[in-house]
Amino acid sequence: MKQYFAFQWHITDDCDQRCKHCYIFAENTCKKLDSMTWEQMQEVVANCEDFCEMYDRLPYFYITGGDPILHPDFWPLLELLAVKKIPFTLMGNPFHLTDEVCQRMKLLGCEKYQLSIDGLEQTHDWFRKPGSYQTTLEKIQTINRAGIRSVVMTTVSGTNIHEVPGIIDEVVKAGANVFAFGRYCPSVVDECDASVDPRDGASARPLTDGSEKITGMTPREYRHLLEICDAKFKAYEAAGYDTYFNRKDHLWTLYQYETGEFKLPENVDPDMIYGGCNCGNCHLTILPTGDVYACRRVQNSRVGNVFEDRLADLWVCEMEQYREYDKFKKCAKCELKAWCRGCPAVASGANGDFYAPDPQCWKEKNNITGELL
């Protein structure tokens, strides 16, 4: 069977939230809200199909925004994908989800719907808007009833790191099918302090100093979070709960390597990449303007435009700069290079360098040999 290739497709910037850590609004509050026309969306689908035919893959769309359901041609797009039998996941807000809406999305091929919870109620509603927390938890069952897999994603920062275990309890109780978390990725253009405590009534403010202050997490603090969450995940799994815990962050590989749950395979090709960050391997991002990014979270990773360039050509030309694995300043010296590499987007957001060390990686160098311990 052919492998899927993932296109993260932002069809509109339109959204009924103004999240403090959103890369659309946090970076530029005066931004013009872009949306693709119906003709442009058809052109995108055709370009992606051409790409997959060229590289013998199957297209898979992660359709998002903004909130994609607010696009005036949201339903025609889903109907087009249904005719073409192209599967997709939706990533959006909970506010417009009803049983009828979710059933229609399921009928047209929606496999998963991803919601966000970024703290317990007070913190989440500070990040997003009042009432968002309770609505999100309630809509998990609406998604489930339609036969769509409900996914809850948390963005971890210094603001909410201590609330993540409580978030896990809440989403399991609400019946989420999948839970995962990733780390806050600051913009190198407008760095936002996600370590500000919302209960102090403070708002995000620009910073000019280092990544630990921006993210509010030291490497050891983040590793401790993984340790706590790992124990929680295993306890829920042992108790027979249905929620699948997706260990999405690639630093889970380092953690499981240290605990013995991940072992380096034998007789592998030393020049092959087997896991870790998908940037440069099986993923592209398309924005409402048509701009194509290697990764949406890497602010300076624009490689072309879907209306001006053939995606298949961008993949072998402009994208090559994201596959130079020996350029990783820390990971290139690590035995886990082919399976981990942390998150280059977090590294890039901290100092503008895609190949810089991940700010939360706790693996240390031997002061004598320079090798990673």
Side-chain angles (χ1 to χ4, degrees):
M1 182 177 176
K2 295 181 182 179
Q3 290 184 321
Y4 282 104
F5 187 95
F7 298 96
Q8 182 175 320
W9 185 5
H10 299 247
I11 62 175
T12 182
D13 286 335
D14 197 7
C15 187
D16 36 25
Q17 298 195 92
R18 293 293 182 270
C19 305
K20 291 176 173 61
H21 53 342
C22 173
Y23 20 61
I24 298 173
F25 299 107
E27 293 164 10
N28 182 355
T29 55
C30 299
K31 183 187 185 303
K32 170 183 170 289
L33 299 184
D34 296 302
S35 286
M36 287 192 178
T37 66
W38 172 234
E39 292 74 19
Q40 288 175 327
M41 291 199 293
Q42 293 176 83
E43 189 175 338
V44 169
V45 172
N47 204 337
C48 293
E49 286 182 306
D50 170 72
F51 177 99
C52 290
E53 184 176 351
M54 177 73 181
Y55 296 111
D56 199 30
R57 297 289 191 94
L58 295 172
Y60 193 102
F61 288 112
Y62 289 86
I63 301 172
T64 185
D67 189 354
I69 202 169
L70 296 178
H71 193 290
D73 293 306
F74 173 75
W75 293 112
L77 173 61
L78 268 54
E79 289 163 0
L80 174 65
L81 298 182
V83 169
K84 292 178 173 292
K85 296 186 166 78
I86 298 176
F88 59 91
T89 288
L90 292 168
M91 302 154 71
N93 293 331
F95 309 113
H96 307 283
L97 300 181
T98 64
D99 285 320
E100 293 74 22
V101 165
C102 290
Q103 288 162 9
R104 187 177 178 189
M105 292 191 301
K106 173 65 176 178
L107 183 65
L108 294 173
C110 179
E111 296 188 338
K112 294 175 285 185
Y113 193 101
Q114 180 175 303
L115 299 163
S116 295
I117 293 184
D118 291 319
L120 297 175
E121 187 166 7
Q122 188 173 3
T123 301
H124 175 92
D125 285 357
W126 173 82
F127 266 124
R128 294 178 176 268
K129 75 175 188 180
S132 173
Y133 179 80
Q134 289 298 336
T135 302
T136 301
L137 289 176
E138 291 166 6
K139 294 302 181 179
I140 288 172
Q141 283 303 318
T142 307
I143 296 166
N144 291 350
R145 282 194 297 271
I148 299 171
R149 286 181 65 75
S150 56
V151 181
V152 174
M153 179 72 184
T154 293
T155 298
V156 180
S157 68
T159 299
N160 63 10
I161 184 171
H162 300 298
E163 298 184 18
V164 174
I167 296 171
I168 295 169
D169 293 334
E170 290 300 312
V171 300
V172 169
K173 185 165 60 175
N177 296 134
V178 183
F179 174 77
F181 60 79
R183 284 170 285 153
Y184 168 70
C185 184
S187 164
V188 296
V189 177
D190 179 14
E191 294 173 339
C192 175
D193 184 1
S195 65
V196 175
D197 190 337
R199 289 158 293 192
D200 293 337
S203 60
R205 62 182 184 270
L207 285 179
T208 56
D209 49 4
S211 60
E212 281 188 13
K213 189 173 180 184
I214 296 168
T215 64
M217 295 182 290
T218 66
R220 288 294 163 184
E221 286 172 335
Y222 189 63
R223 189 194 184 283
H224 184 56
L225 174 67
L226 298 189
E227 186 175 10
I228 293 171
C229 292
D230 189 44
K232 243 184 195 312
F233 293 167
K234 288 173 179 172
Y236 276 122
E237 289 163 350
Y241 284 83
D242 293 331
T243 303
Y244 170 72
F245 300 104
N246 181 6
R247 291 165 171 82
K248 179 182 175 72
D249 192 319
H250 305 303
L251 288 180
W252 275 109
T253 302
L254 171 58
Y255 175 81
Q256 292 181 321
Y257 179 63
E258 293 179 343
T259 62
E261 292 180 74
F262 175 78
K263 299 185 185 300
L264 292 175
E266 298 180 357
N267 303 317
V268 295
D269 185 339
D271 297 321
M272 285 288 291
I273 295 297
Y274 294 95
C277 175
N278 285 328
C279 186
N281 290 320
C282 55
H283 171 87
L284 282 173
T285 297
I286 303 168
L287 301 191
T289 57
D291 284 342
V292 179
Y293 275 61
C295 173
R296 180 61 184 95
R297 286 159 52 89
V298 179
Q299 299 301 315
N300 57 353
S301 68
R302 183 187 182 279
V303 294
N305 188 283
V306 72
F307 306 128
E308 301 168 4
D309 303 295
R310 187 186 183 202
L311 292 176
D313 293 337
L314 295 179
W315 188 248
V316 294
C317 298
E318 283 74 10
M319 283 297 298
E320 188 60 33
Q321 63 185 304
Y322 297 98
R323 295 190 281 263
E324 299 177 288
Y325 301 106
D326 288 335
K327 282 188 175 182
F328 281 103
K329 294 178 173 62
K330 184 176 180 181
C331 302
K333 303 170 185 174
C334 179
E335 68 270 30
L336 296 176
K337 179 182 78 171
W339 292 273
C340 177
R341 302 183 304 287
C343 182
V346 175
S348 178
N351 56 38
D353 183 358
F354 182 83
Y355 291 107
D358 185 313
Q360 275 79 51
C361 178
W362 58 86
K363 205 155 194 262
E364 297 176 354
K365 287 184 180 179
N366 184 307
N367 292 331
I368 297 175
T369 66
E371 295 298 313
L372 291 173
L373 300 175

